[in-house]
Amino acid sequence: MADPSRPVTGYPAYPNGRPPPSNAQPHGQAYPYAAPPYSYPTNYANPYDSTHQNARLSFLRAIIAGIIVVFIITAVILFIIWLVLRPQLPEFRVDSFQVTNFSTASQSLSASWFIGFSVFNPNKKMTISYDFIESTVFYNNEFLSQTPVPPFTQDKRTQSVVNASLSSLNAYIDAPTVSKINDDRRRGTVKFNVGVSARVGFRAGWWRTRRRLLRVLCEDLSIGLSPSNSSGSGKLIGESRACRVGI
């Protein structure tokens, strides 16, 4: 017989002889389903990185906008200056052109040319400076001779005289070109082309343009050269000739 004064050991008795469910909550409430396991987010964004990236994009946009504004302002200023100054290209003319000691062989040519140019600056507000000037003589597209010309500067609305002396001594010329020159000479005239190239700059007070390459072409300059002229000398036929000028 059990002693009632001894403590009771073992499991306590449950109502109805069954233990309560394992997910039982206080006050006897229970969830109908087991709680899902908690998972930590893997795509957590650092708010500091996002703020830093936005600030950098804003800074880049500000730089690009500033460059565009500066470009537009510069273009407007240059356009206004161009409207005020209206820069014009100089005008070139060949006033005199003569050749001496002109002779040809089977594949060679010898001659001396003397060319006198008049150069006019039509600008009312701008001076023009010429550097690295070269003058060239051609027969059609065949190069014959080239020489440098001293640099010079032109004031507003002024005209300058520029002279060039060129020569060739037994310069190689292909046989078909020599044949054409001799045919022209038998007809009494030989046509030459003269070119001028120079680096030019326009200036008006403190404002000046960057230097650019000026090209001048004077075409179909007829020289009287007859076969009966043993000295091989001739001059420009007709009046002075205007030249084409471009940059």
Side-chain angles (χ1 to χ4, degrees):
M1 180 177 232
D3 186 357
S5 61
R6 296 181 60 185
V8 178
T9 61
Y11 293 99
Y14 297 102
N16 302 324
R18 291 179 298 177
S22 59
N23 58 352
Q25 300 297 317
H27 308 291
Q29 297 178 357
Y31 294 115
Y33 302 102
Y38 180 77
S39 59
Y40 293 92
T42 58
N43 58 346
Y44 176 74
N46 190 341
Y48 175 77
D49 292 341
S50 177
T51 303
H52 181 70
Q53 185 177 8
N54 292 335
R56 184 169 58 183
L57 290 176
S58 299
F59 179 70
L60 291 176
R61 293 192 190 101
I63 291 178
I64 294 173
I67 293 174
I68 294 174
V69 170
V70 170
F71 176 79
I72 293 175
I73 293 175
T74 302
V76 170
I77 292 174
L78 292 177
F79 181 69
I80 293 174
I81 292 175
W82 181 84
L83 287 178
V84 173
L85 298 178
R86 292 294 181 94
Q88 301 179 59
L89 295 177
E91 300 171 4
F92 278 71
R93 298 186 68 88
V94 175
D95 292 331
S96 61
F97 185 30
Q98 57 182 337
V99 61
T100 59
N101 303 319
F102 189 88
S103 63
T104 56
S106 59
Q107 288 186 320
S108 66
L109 179 146
S110 296
S112 296
W113 294 270
F114 303 93
I115 311 170
F117 299 95
S118 61
V119 185
F120 178 65
N121 177 13
N123 294 282
K124 298 180 180 179
K125 301 178 181 180
M126 305 186 71
T127 61
I128 305 178
S129 58
Y130 302 80
D131 293 329
F132 302 103
I133 312 170
E134 288 184 331
S135 181
T136 309
V137 174
F138 300 89
Y139 175 80
N140 292 334
N141 294 324
E142 186 77 21
F143 171 84
L144 301 179
S145 182
Q146 186 178 62
T147 188
V149 177
F152 64 100
T153 300
Q154 279 190 301
D155 203 355
K156 314 172 198 66
R157 303 288 297 179
T158 58
Q159 182 167 295
S160 302
V161 175
V162 178
N163 296 314
S165 299
L166 306 92
S167 62
S168 294
L169 180 61
N170 296 324
Y172 169 76
I173 303 293
D174 59 36
T177 302
V178 172
S179 178
K180 291 179 182 179
I181 291 175
N182 291 333
D183 290 342
D184 290 343
R185 191 172 182 184
R186 280 190 288 269
R187 287 190 288 266
T189 59
V190 179
K191 292 184 178 180
F192 298 96
N193 298 326
V194 173
V196 176
S197 61
R199 278 202 332 173
V200 297
F202 297 80
R203 181 172 181 174
W206 58 268
W207 185 81
R208 67 179 66 186
T209 64
R210 64 182 181 87
R211 295 194 173 275
R212 304 180 65 180
L213 181 62
L214 181 78
R215 295 185 181 276
V216 180
L217 181 60
C218 314
E219 298 178 289
D220 297 334
L221 302 175
S222 298
I223 300 293
L225 280 172
S226 62
S228 59
N229 188 343
S230 59
S231 64
S233 299
K235 294 183 179 181
L236 178 67
I237 299 176
E239 299 178 349
S240 62
R241 304 290 183 85
C243 305
R244 292 190 295 166
V245 181
I247 287 183

